[in-house]
Amino acid sequence: MKVFRWLWVIATLAVLANGYRVAMYVVPADADQGNLSRILYYHVPTWCGMAIFFTVNLICSLVYLAIRNRNPERAMKTDALALASAEMGVVYCLIGMATGSIWGKAAWGIWWTWDARLTTTLVLWLIYVAYLLVRRFITGPEMRVMAAVIAIFGFADIPIVYMSTRWWRTQHPAPVFFGGPNTGLAPSMMPALWWNLAGWVAWGVFVVALRYAAERRQQIADQQAAAVALEAA
């Protein structure tokens, strides 16, 4: 298992390094924004990673609610994965907002504006931060049920974030992908996006796996401590 873990890390770092090389030195600069557009190759992959890990969190939360009574052991495993994926999603969401702000400052002269895309994204991040705070400061079996409900509620904001530039006039540019005619990246620019997307998702999977294993160890330790306390009583 440790060998596989190290192989995954090495492969991920190699993909990220090649993604950097392709993004910075191989693909051409954007015709309109020049080299500023290269931040896209990190901005978009972190958003995609956020959506992937929040989706994993949603699925695990639904499974936990469905099986927590009839299969407690498996439910605890899905709960551990829900927590680990939510943490990674929060980190990627924060990176996405940060890279977007850097891009916005250079392109439009502002770090932040309360338009629909940015506001709904901030709300999304705050909901999942609240999810993590519930996991941190509330104890007892009710905590996991409450967290699962928050996860379901929070995920409902993701389609709103995605559609915000279509539904409302925003400072954010029109959708780059799936936005209709004359949208999307030139084929020559796509390799940088795909390499970085693969690297960031692979890195997120690695961190989630580590956090899942740590949470499972904590769950088992808590169960053993509860059993000892019950026997002592």
Side-chain angles (χ1 to χ4, degrees):
M1 189 64 179
K2 288 184 178 181
V3 173
F4 175 79
R5 185 179 299 173
W6 278 109
L7 289 175
W8 187 277
V9 171
I10 293 170
T12 298
L13 292 176
V15 171
L16 287 171
N18 191 60
Y20 177 83
R21 181 187 67 84
V22 174
M24 297 302 166
Y25 302 108
V26 176
V27 300
D30 182 74
D32 297 323
Q33 298 189 46
N35 286 323
L36 176 62
S37 65
R38 297 185 191 278
I39 199 171
L40 171 77
Y41 305 127
Y42 296 92
H43 181 65
V44 172
T46 53
W47 282 131
C48 293
M50 174 201 73
I52 290 170
F53 292 115
F54 281 161
T55 300
V56 173
N57 171 263
L58 171 69
I59 294 171
C60 290
S61 298
L62 290 171
V63 171
Y64 175 81
L65 291 176
I67 69 173
R68 68 185 188 279
N69 293 324
R70 67 173 182 269
N71 195 334
E73 183 66 21
R74 180 169 296 178
M76 292 298 286
K77 292 180 179 179
T78 60
D79 179 72
L81 183 56
L83 173 59
S85 57
E87 292 173 342
M88 199 70 252
V90 166
V91 171
Y92 277 4
C93 186
L94 183 61
I95 296 174
M97 288 192 292
T99 53
S101 293
I102 295 170
W103 194 355
K105 177 61 176 178
W108 310 312
I110 56 173
W111 291 103
W112 183 270
T113 183
W114 294 99
D115 76 343
R117 168 58 66 84
L118 275 66
T119 302
T120 53
T121 302
L122 179 61
V123 169
L124 177 70
W125 184 76
L126 291 174
I127 290 172
Y128 280 94
V129 168
Y131 170 94
L132 296 180
L133 291 175
V134 166
R135 301 293 306 242
R136 176 66 178 82
F137 293 108
I138 297 179
T139 59
E142 297 82 5
M143 173 271 289
R144 292 183 172 87
V145 174
M146 184 183 302
V149 172
I150 294 174
I152 296 169
F153 172 75
F155 190 85
D157 190 35
I158 291 182
I160 299 174
V161 171
Y162 178 75
M163 296 299 295
S164 59
T165 55
R166 294 167 170 83
W167 290 343
W168 300 290
R169 183 186 299 274
T170 70
Q171 179 72 33
H172 197 280
V176 176
F177 302 100
F178 312 113
N182 301 319
T183 63
L185 291 179
S188 60
M189 302 171 74
M190 290 301 294
L193 182 66
W194 289 121
W195 276 106
N196 281 290
L197 178 60
W200 281 91
V201 172
W203 183 255
V205 169
F206 173 71
V207 176
V208 167
L210 291 181
R211 285 293 299 124
Y212 169 80
E215 181 62 18
R216 280 296 295 157
R217 288 194 296 269
Q218 185 61 50
Q219 288 179 349
I220 294 171
D222 291 343
Q223 291 172 349
Q224 292 174 344
V228 170
L230 184 62
E231 290 179 359

